[in-house]
Amino acid sequence: MNRIMVALIGAGAMITSTHSLAAAFQLAEQNVSGLGRAYAGEASVADDASVVSRNPGLMNKLDGTQISVSTMYVKPDVSLQGTSTNNGVPASALDNSSIAPSAVVPSAFITTNINDKWSVGGGMYSQFGLATEFEDDYVAGQIAGETEIVTINTGIAASYQVNAQWSIALGLNHVYADAKILRNLGINTLGVPSETEVVNLEGDDTGFGWNVGAVFNIDEDNRFGFHYRSETDITFKGTFSNQLPAVAPFNGTGGQALPGSVAITLPAIAEVSGSHKLDKQTALHYSILWTGWNSFQTLAANVENVGTVFTKDENFSNSLRYSIGADHQWSEVLKLRVGFAYDESPADENHMSISIPDTDRIWYSFGAEYQLTANSSLDVGVSIIRGKTQRFIEKDNFGSEWGFKSKGHASVFGLQYNHTL
């Protein structure tokens, strides 16, 4: 396998992107009730069964058996503007008005009380994901193409009410992850069409993790919560192929699929939250969420019987997300919500890429809960997410330098149904 092919495999091995809606490829969207508060107070608010995902220690605050099912529609607005090149290609050829497709993010949860001390619950949701798409003939095809990662977290948890003030919880998580990476050659001097597929890497894997939660009640009107989720190791195992000829000087696969893999560590997450009732109708909530992105330092791609064909330093740093929100009981059947959040990027400014044009984000969120019957309610939520404009230069394996200005915004719309049995 020659140097050109090895480099192209490496270029295609990127499986991270900021076109999810939290830091790097992290997703905040596990429920709609929290969406309306910009997910402020998620470790201390016991709204519904979705507490399984953010702090199962709150399950003891829920009565009977509760079910919550939600779906969120994510509409990204991520664009690129070319600013410079060093190879004679007009910078405007890099312009792309939308590189992230819309997506639907579902979730489902159930909790139940065993007795006045023990509660159990489970859920299916996603905490990490991304998708970016470029045209096959994009001039900077080696650093563009198509990138997609989908994760499904299936978790179970149990909580114990220690006394009137304290409750604790332990959960176990099974994570299924699927990744797809396509890259094209782009403009070149090899006499090969720019849309030629030089990387086609698909794979999946499963991993296991754990989480713990704790809730401290100062009194009926004031509560603090803490939640920690462990790292999860994922090795995407699948196939690698390309459309390069199998003869010299390309030494490609000629479309033949070879076993390949990429290993990553999904980061640990910790959250501290507080909730305080200001009066009978209004409550204030806030959170600080830490994500241990320093586990993502180097990305490596491997091909069976060849070994490590690429390593790339990512140098991610740990990040923080700050949020504050409130809810107000407008009437017996209607609760209103509002929230604001600031989300830090973990990306190293010296390693920016159109596969990872990560940036700090600000969230503006609104929501409501309507009581349909004594045992059922409906949540709606909207978040407007604004990202900071970034400027950077990225090099490909032919020595071309591509200058970009990236903008990343998004809108999220959610609907959730809750039912108590």
Side-chain angles (χ1 to χ4, degrees):
M1 186 175 296
N2 70 0
R3 184 181 61 83
I4 291 178
M5 183 179 174
V6 169
L8 290 174
I9 293 174
M14 299 305 299
I15 57 174
T16 58
S17 170
T18 181
H19 311 315
S20 55
L21 300 178
F25 55 99
Q26 185 177 3
L27 294 175
E29 297 76 19
Q30 279 87 55
N31 59 48
V32 177
S33 50
L35 179 67
R37 297 188 307 269
Y39 296 104
E42 283 296 278
S44 56
V45 180
D47 279 328
D48 48 61
S50 65
V51 296
V52 171
S53 66
R54 298 293 282 263
N55 188 358
L58 293 163
M59 292 191 295
N60 300 86
K61 304 298 180 185
L62 304 175
D63 296 326
T65 298
Q66 300 212 9
I67 297 172
S68 294
V69 180
S70 71
T71 183
M72 280 160 281
Y73 175 71
V74 181
K75 182 174 176 56
D77 179 16
V78 183
S79 62
L80 294 173
Q81 179 183 343
T83 58
S84 65
T85 66
N86 69 344
N87 52 19
V89 176
S92 60
L94 298 174
D95 294 354
N96 196 311
S97 60
S98 179
I99 64 175
S102 299
V104 174
V105 182
S107 65
F109 302 93
I110 184 171
T111 64
T112 191
N113 305 125
I114 297 176
N115 52 43
D116 60 351
K117 290 289 187 179
W118 288 94
S119 296
V120 294
M124 294 185 68
Y125 52 96
S126 180
Q127 286 193 301
F128 299 92
L130 70 93
T132 57
E133 295 179 356
F134 291 80
E135 295 294 330
D136 292 348
D137 59 354
Y138 189 66
V139 292
Q142 293 181 49
I143 58 174
E146 180 181 346
T147 306
E148 182 179 273
I149 177 173
V150 176
T151 66
I152 301 173
N153 190 107
T154 304
I156 57 173
S159 65
Y160 178 72
Q161 189 74 40
V162 179
N163 52 41
Q165 289 183 304
W166 284 97
S167 63
I168 56 176
L170 173 66
L172 299 175
N173 303 286
H174 172 272
V175 180
Y176 170 79
D178 181 88
K180 178 181 180 181
I181 303 158
L182 300 178
R183 292 294 182 268
N184 305 100
L185 188 59
I187 190 170
N188 63 91
T189 59
L190 303 175
V192 178
S194 59
E195 62 270 19
T196 300
E197 195 174 275
V198 294
V199 171
N200 185 324
L201 182 61
E202 297 186 56
D204 61 1
D205 190 27
T206 59
F208 293 89
W210 54 270
N211 60 299
V212 294
V215 177
F216 177 68
N217 298 280
I218 299 175
D219 52 39
E220 291 184 357
D221 297 332
N222 299 278
R223 180 189 303 152
F224 293 102
F226 169 78
H227 185 235
Y228 177 84
R229 183 175 297 273
S230 71
E231 295 180 348
T232 304
D233 294 325
I234 297 290
T235 300
F236 295 101
K237 297 179 180 179
T239 59
F240 167 81
S241 66
N242 60 36
Q243 294 175 340
L244 295 174
V247 298
F250 301 101
N251 294 332
T253 72
Q256 179 185 3
L258 302 174
S261 65
V262 176
I264 64 171
T265 297
L266 300 178
I269 302 170
E271 183 171 12
V272 177
S273 300
S275 295
H276 309 279
K277 291 194 70 173
L278 305 181
D279 55 40
K280 292 183 179 180
Q281 287 79 37
T282 307
L284 176 70
H285 313 283
Y286 50 86
S287 287
I288 299 177
L289 187 145
W290 169 91
T291 305
W293 282 113
N294 65 350
S295 64
F296 192 64
Q297 292 295 304
T298 303
L299 188 67
N302 297 275
V303 174
E304 191 171 300
N305 298 322
V306 177
T308 301
V309 296
F310 174 81
T311 58
K312 185 178 186 299
D313 293 333
E314 298 298 339
N315 296 334
F316 271 26
S317 301
N318 297 335
S319 65
L320 292 172
R321 185 182 191 273
Y322 309 89
S323 56
I324 185 168
D327 50 53
H328 178 76
Q329 194 71 46
W330 182 264
S331 67
E332 289 186 1
V333 296
L334 181 63
K335 178 186 288 186
L336 302 179
R337 300 185 176 104
V338 65
F340 172 86
Y342 177 74
D343 199 358
E344 291 182 345
S345 167
D348 186 338
E349 63 180 10
N350 297 315
H351 292 78
M352 298 295 292
S353 168
I354 60 173
S355 292
I356 326 176
D358 206 8
T359 184
D360 300 336
R361 301 172 184 81
I362 295 177
W363 291 57
Y364 305 95
S365 300
F366 310 90
E369 178 184 7
Y370 184 77
Q371 199 72 33
L372 298 171
T373 68
N375 295 321
S376 62
S377 64
L378 194 67
D379 289 296
V380 295
V382 177
S383 284
I384 307 301
I385 304 168
R386 306 291 293 179
K388 184 174 67 176
T389 298
Q390 294 279 40
R391 294 177 180 269
F392 56 94
I393 294 176
E394 186 172 6
K395 297 180 180 179
D396 67 20
N397 297 292
F398 292 145
S400 291
E401 295 183 358
W402 310 98
F404 298 94
K405 180 172 73 172
S406 68
K407 294 182 179 180
H409 311 307
S411 301
V412 186
F413 309 91
L415 185 66
Q416 178 175 310
Y417 175 74
N418 311 294
H419 193 86
T420 301
L421 300 177

